[in-house]
Amino acid sequence: GNSVTQMEGPVTLSEEAFLTINCTYTATGYPSLFWYVQYPGEGLQLLLKATKADDKGSNKGFEATYRKETTSFHLEKGSVQVSDSAVYFCALKVEGEKLTFGTGTRLTIIP
Amino acid sequence: DVKVTQSSRYLVKRTGEKVFLECVQDMDHENMFWYRQDPGLGLRLIYFSYDVKMKEKGDIPEGYSVSREKKERFSLILESASTNQTSMYLCASRTYEGAGGETQYFGPGTRLLVL
């Protein structure tokens, strides 16, 4: 079946630090890959996505590259802000199948 | 902007009560979903609906039912609430973006406590 494994949290960083949250996957077909973010007290919202190998998704300073050879989709940001504190979910979708989420990584940024 | 609303942000119910969670979306989406979110388990799909009066079981449907009488509204029903149904419940709707993927739009969640 399909599964997503992401870096366990919680992760605590100082403001302006470099962020990496690791995500790897297994899929029965050719998946599209996603990062969703959940800010405190809110539902999930799409942060970025990539639909084929070597694509790079980007939004709000965050980036992730679809690496088929390593089955990975790591989330990165060069300089985090306090407002980036949230829970981040990696997810995959194979056509005709449901969206599969990782367990989430809680990120806290300290001023 | 797409908006998905859920009827309550917080609910406290007693064991054995029948519980209704309501979700409404305003973007004319065909597909709607109910998930529960638990620490360390991520999001797990309870039920989904492709269209009015259609429903499909997700990964953990036991103890739940759903109703989709109108396109914009998708209800989750706990027939007889139990303490192991204490959780955060998230509703989502989706626009299908072709074979390349999809974007699901989520409501703010309902945090349910069953005593």
Side-chain angles (χ1 to χ4, degrees):
Chain A
N2 301 324
S3 67
V4 175
T5 302
Q6 65 180 100
M7 180 173 172
E8 287 207 18
V11 174
T12 303
L13 295 172
S14 298
E15 205 166 19
E16 299 184 2
F18 184 87
L19 168 72
T20 300
I21 300 178
N22 291 335
C23 172
T24 57
Y25 67 89
T26 59
T28 54
Y30 198 115
S32 296
L33 302 173
F34 307 82
W35 278 100
Y36 279 81
V37 59
Q38 184 179 33
Y39 296 106
E42 299 183 14
L44 277 69
Q45 57 185 270
L46 181 68
L47 180 61
L48 55 83
K49 68 179 183 182
T51 59
K52 60 183 187 294
D54 300 324
D55 269 3
K56 179 185 285 187
S58 61
N59 186 22
K60 299 183 180 181
F62 290 89
E63 294 182 339
T65 301
Y66 190 142
R67 301 285 187 201
K68 190 178 179 185
E69 64 276 12
T70 55
T71 61
S72 64
F73 192 54
H74 304 322
L75 182 68
E76 297 182 334
K77 186 174 185 182
S79 176
V80 292
Q81 305 300 313
V82 172
S83 58
D84 294 327
S85 297
V87 181
Y88 292 82
F89 292 90
C90 186
L92 72 81
K93 173 80 169 66
V94 174
E95 188 179 0
E97 300 183 20
K98 68 181 181 70
L99 191 60
T100 299
F101 289 90
T103 54
T105 302
R106 182 176 297 278
L107 173 67
T108 302
I109 307 300
I110 300 172
Chain B
D1 277 355
V2 174
K3 193 162 187 182
V4 180
T5 57
Q6 295 184 227
S7 52
S8 304
R9 294 299 298 271
Y10 301 95
L11 274 180
V12 180
K13 297 292 181 180
R14 298 218 173 267
T15 301
E17 281 192 75
K18 191 169 186 176
V19 182
F20 293 86
L21 303 182
E22 303 284 335
C23 175
V24 177
Q25 51 95 2
D26 67 357
M27 281 301 291
D28 203 35
H29 288 166
E30 282 77 23
N31 304 160
M32 296 187 75
F33 305 82
W34 275 106
Y35 296 90
R36 62 178 283 178
Q37 181 182 5
D38 300 289
L41 297 178
L43 275 71
R44 293 179 292 167
L45 182 63
I46 304 171
Y47 266 97
F48 59 103
S49 171
Y50 282 126
D51 208 336
V52 176
K53 297 192 186 295
M54 294 178 66
K55 59 184 179 183
E56 297 282 342
K57 292 180 179 179
D59 298 322
I60 52 165
E62 295 78 19
Y64 303 95
S65 62
V66 290
S67 173
R68 184 107 181 262
E69 296 296 319
K70 293 185 177 182
K71 192 174 187 180
E72 68 271 19
R73 189 180 298 270
F74 191 34
S75 302
L76 180 69
I77 303 152
L78 285 66
E79 297 292 342
S80 177
S82 63
T83 55
N84 63 13
Q85 293 178 309
T86 291
S87 186
M88 170 73 89
Y89 290 88
L90 292 168
C91 175
S93 70
R94 128 178 142 173
T95 177
Y96 186 65
E97 297 178 341
E102 63 167 277
T103 297
Q104 289 193 14
Y105 296 88
F106 284 81
T110 296
R111 191 169 291 281
L112 173 66
L113 173 62
V114 182
L115 300 175

